[in-house]
């Protein structure tokens, strides 16, 4: 458990579940910038699964009662790319439902002022019109490849609305303040501290790891060219968001966004690219760390493509933050490749 604290008397506690993962580490990095001065009076606590299994109510209760949070950013989840989802729908549904029900129940029991949970653009209906917006989450079945993860995530929105209704009814009698439980909907996230496992990861970390192994092999053999196998046709489209941008936006939501209804956290629609475009950027980024080796892409169409696109509108976000500048994907991928190259031994893989 990482505990970023100065003077702890009279400080409010901001608990981040899933604080050791891709997004949690990015939140920690943003909070640490400027010597933590951007968040005066707040003590941040970053939890990992070693601190307790949040899918078990007794363990979750112990952690929450120990920290007594005022704010919760709920990131902990069973997470994975297309192929892990396709193979494990039942576990994704059961484990994530247990984690989410325990976390929100404890936020209610401890009267947490604000709880922000995390959905994903991959939970939207498969058959839909584009761009997707926040009103469309429940308007039809999700893509079959990740129905377990999707339905579990959709239930967070149901819980948030249920708790809001309960507090409104209670407030009529007691007149006390009503907490805000809400959710954010990020697109496909990438960055340092990602899960780079070859089978279970999302596409960008998976391709970075594969490219790394190919480049190392080429260096050993003294060859100048190597291949990177991209699963599927490479034609599906995704709006990738850099983890540090997402972290900044999540912190903004935690302190400024007061609605129960979710908010999409995404790059603009025109920043959507194909899987092969992302793979090409990875190949080019390896050229910076291993300039003598050229990586050629090949597509293996025996793998599935998953959802062809899930173009999301960030209009709601842009109404609040019209000038937010996202990290260009070329730069984000370059930094992620460099991070993996320099941190191979400690990277999750
Ligand atoms: P991640 O890197 O896999 O991290 C998952 C985090 O959850 C880790 O800190 C992990 O702890 C913790 N965790 C998992 N199971 C737990 C359990 N049973 N009890 C306690 N902690 C547990 O995931 P991420 O990519 O940062 O995802 C963060 C959130 O963003 C998730 O809610 C995910 O659904 C959402 N999201 C992710 C993406 C994406 O592309 N990655 C896209 C949209 C939404 P350990 O490190 O100790 O295992
Ligand atoms: P999604 O965005 O939720 O569908 O999940 P992913 O991040 O796993 O991206 C899946 C898309 O990337 C599909 O079109 C896959 O065919 C494609 N893809 C290409 N190579 C890989 C790879 O090595 N790993 C993963 N996870 N997906 C890959």
């Amino acid at each position: 458990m990482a505990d970023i604290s100065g003077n702890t008397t009279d400080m409010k506690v901001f608990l981040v579940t899933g604080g050791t993962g891709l997004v949690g580490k990015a939140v920690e990095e943003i909070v640490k910038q400027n010597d933590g001065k951007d968040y005066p009076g707040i003590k941040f606590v970053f939890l990992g699964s070693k601190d307790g299994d949040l899918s078990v109510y007794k363990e979750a209760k112990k952690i929450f009662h120990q920290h007594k949070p005022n704010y919760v950013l709920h990131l902990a989840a069973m997470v994975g790319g297309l192929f892990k989802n396709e193979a494990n729908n039942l576990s994704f549904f059961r484990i994530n439902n247990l984690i989410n029900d325990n976390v929100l129940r404890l936020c209610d029991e401890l009267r947490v002022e604000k709880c922000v949970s995390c959905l994903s653009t991959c939970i939207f209906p498969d058959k839909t019109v584009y761009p997707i917006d926040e009103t469309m989450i429940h308007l039809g079945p999700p893509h079959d490849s990740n129905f377990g993860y999707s339905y579990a995530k959709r239930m967070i929105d149901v819980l948030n609305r249920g708790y809001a209704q309960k507090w409104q009814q209670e407030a009529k009698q007691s007149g006390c303040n009503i907490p805000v439980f809400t959710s954010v909907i990020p697109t496909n996230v990438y960055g340092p501290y990602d899960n780079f496992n070859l089978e279970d990861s999302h596409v960008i970390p998976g391709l970075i790891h594969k490219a790394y192994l190919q480049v190392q092999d080429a260096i050993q053999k003294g060859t100048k060219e190597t291949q990177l196998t991209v699963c599927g046709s490479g034609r599906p489209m995704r709006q990738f968001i850099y983890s540090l941008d997402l972290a900044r936006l999540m912190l903004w939501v935690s302190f400024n966004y007061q609605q129960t209804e979710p908010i999409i956290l995404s790059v603009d629609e025109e920043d959507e690219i194909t899987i092969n475009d992302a793979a090409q950027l990875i190949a080019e980024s390896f050229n910076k760390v291993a300039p003598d080796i050229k990586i050629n892409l090949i597509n293996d169409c025996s793998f599935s493509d998953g959802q062809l696109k899930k173009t999301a509108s960030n209009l709601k976000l842009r109404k609040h933050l019209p000038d937010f500048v996202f990290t260009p994907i070329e730069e984000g991928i370059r930094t992620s490749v460099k991070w993996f190259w320099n941190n191979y031994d400690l990277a999750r893989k």
Side-chain angles (χ1 to χ4, degrees):
M1 180 198 326
D3 177 349
I4 301 179
S5 53
N7 172 16
T8 51
T9 41
D10 298 330
M11 290 187 106
K12 289 204 168 186
V13 175
F14 190 118
L15 190 70
V16 182
T17 73
T20 52
L22 164 66
V23 182
K25 283 287 198 188
V27 173
E28 188 175 359
E29 186 164 334
I30 298 296
V31 166
K32 276 182 179 162
Q33 286 175 357
N34 201 16
D35 290 330
K37 288 190 191 113
D38 294 339
Y39 302 96
I42 307 232
K43 174 188 161 186
F44 284 87
V45 178
F46 293 86
L47 297 176
S49 59
K50 284 202 190 98
D51 298 303
D53 182 347
L54 294 173
S55 70
V56 179
Y57 178 70
K58 251 172 104 172
E59 292 189 33
K61 184 176 176 184
K62 199 170 154 207
I63 303 172
F64 272 69
H65 281 257
Q66 179 191 342
H67 294 291
K68 298 191 177 44
N70 304 87
Y71 309 106
V72 171
L73 178 56
H74 172 38
L75 305 175
M78 180 175 175
V79 182
L82 168 64
F83 305 118
K84 183 174 176 186
N85 270 277
E86 269 182 333
N88 299 285
N89 272 291
L90 180 61
S91 299
F92 271 99
F93 183 72
R94 296 196 63 221
I95 292 171
N96 284 330
N97 259 332
L98 288 168
I99 293 176
N100 299 334
D101 191 47
N102 288 338
V103 167
L104 294 187
R105 175 179 167 188
L106 285 157
C107 287
D108 176 45
E109 284 172 12
L110 290 172
R111 205 76 186 177
V112 166
E113 287 169 41
K114 182 85 172 272
C115 174
V116 178
S117 303
C118 207
L119 314 184
S120 167
T121 48
C122 64
I123 73 165
F124 278 93
D126 180 32
K127 297 196 173 30
T128 187
V129 288
Y130 296 103
I132 295 160
D133 70 38
E134 291 85 351
T135 64
M136 296 155 82
I137 298 177
H138 303 283
L139 300 185
H143 195 265
D144 212 37
S145 58
N146 63 355
F147 68 87
Y149 178 79
S150 301
Y151 279 117
K153 287 284 184 187
R154 288 182 186 192
M155 290 309 111
I156 291 180
D157 180 55
V158 175
L159 287 168
N160 285 344
R161 283 158 46 197
Y163 282 115
Q165 185 182 54
K166 170 179 172 275
W167 298 317
Q168 270 152 19
Q169 286 161 356
E170 286 171 9
K172 277 186 196 146
Q173 283 149 16
S174 66
C176 60
N177 286 342
I178 296 180
V180 176
F181 286 12
T182 188
S183 57
V184 292
I185 311 180
T187 50
N188 197 315
V189 194
Y190 71 98
Y193 299 98
D194 211 333
N195 171 13
F196 291 87
N197 183 281
L198 291 169
E199 275 84 41
D200 291 348
S201 72
H202 281 97
V203 55
I204 289 183
L207 290 177
I208 290 177
H209 191 176
K210 279 196 254 181
Y212 175 92
L213 296 177
Q214 289 297 111
V215 167
Q216 292 296 340
D217 186 53
I219 291 171
Q220 287 230 321
K221 290 183 179 146
T223 51
K224 296 274 175 220
E225 289 199 27
T226 190
Q227 283 184 334
L228 171 60
T229 303
V230 180
C231 302
S233 69
R235 285 197 298 267
M237 310 279 294
R238 296 289 182 271
Q239 286 157 296
F240 294 102
I241 183 165
Y242 188 49
S243 58
L244 286 124
D245 294 344
L246 179 60
R248 279 197 185 87
L249 293 172
M250 282 182 166
L251 285 161
W252 176 83
V253 169
S254 296
F255 294 112
N256 299 285
Y257 179 79
Q258 299 302 338
Q259 299 171 22
T260 304
E261 292 72 32
I263 179 164
I264 290 174
L265 303 182
S266 171
V267 298
D268 300 325
E269 283 164 58
E270 54 270 27
D271 293 328
E272 188 173 47
I273 61 170
T274 66
I275 297 295
N276 270 0
D277 289 338
Q280 187 56 39
L281 290 173
I282 291 168
E284 286 163 15
S285 297
F286 269 92
N287 206 247
K288 301 266 182 258
V289 287
D292 296 337
I293 316 256
K294 181 171 185 288
I295 301 179
N296 301 308
L297 304 186
I298 50 166
N299 289 98
D300 182 346
C301 291
S302 65
F303 285 91
S304 56
D305 272 342
Q307 239 171 320
L308 288 182
K309 62 177 187 173
K310 14 190 158 185
T311 320
S313 160
N314 67 4
L315 219 65
K316 189 174 189 179
L317 174 69
R318 284 291 185 205
K319 277 194 187 135
H320 291 281
L321 297 176
D323 301 324
F324 186 86
V325 179
F326 288 94
T327 304
I329 182 130
E330 297 79 5
E331 187 186 327
I333 287 189
R334 219 181 301 126
T335 311
S336 306
V337 166
K338 204 169 156 201
W339 184 88
F340 188 70
W341 185 267
N342 292 332
N343 295 280
Y344 183 75
D345 289 338
L346 74 89
R348 266 188 300 161
K349 50 191 187 295

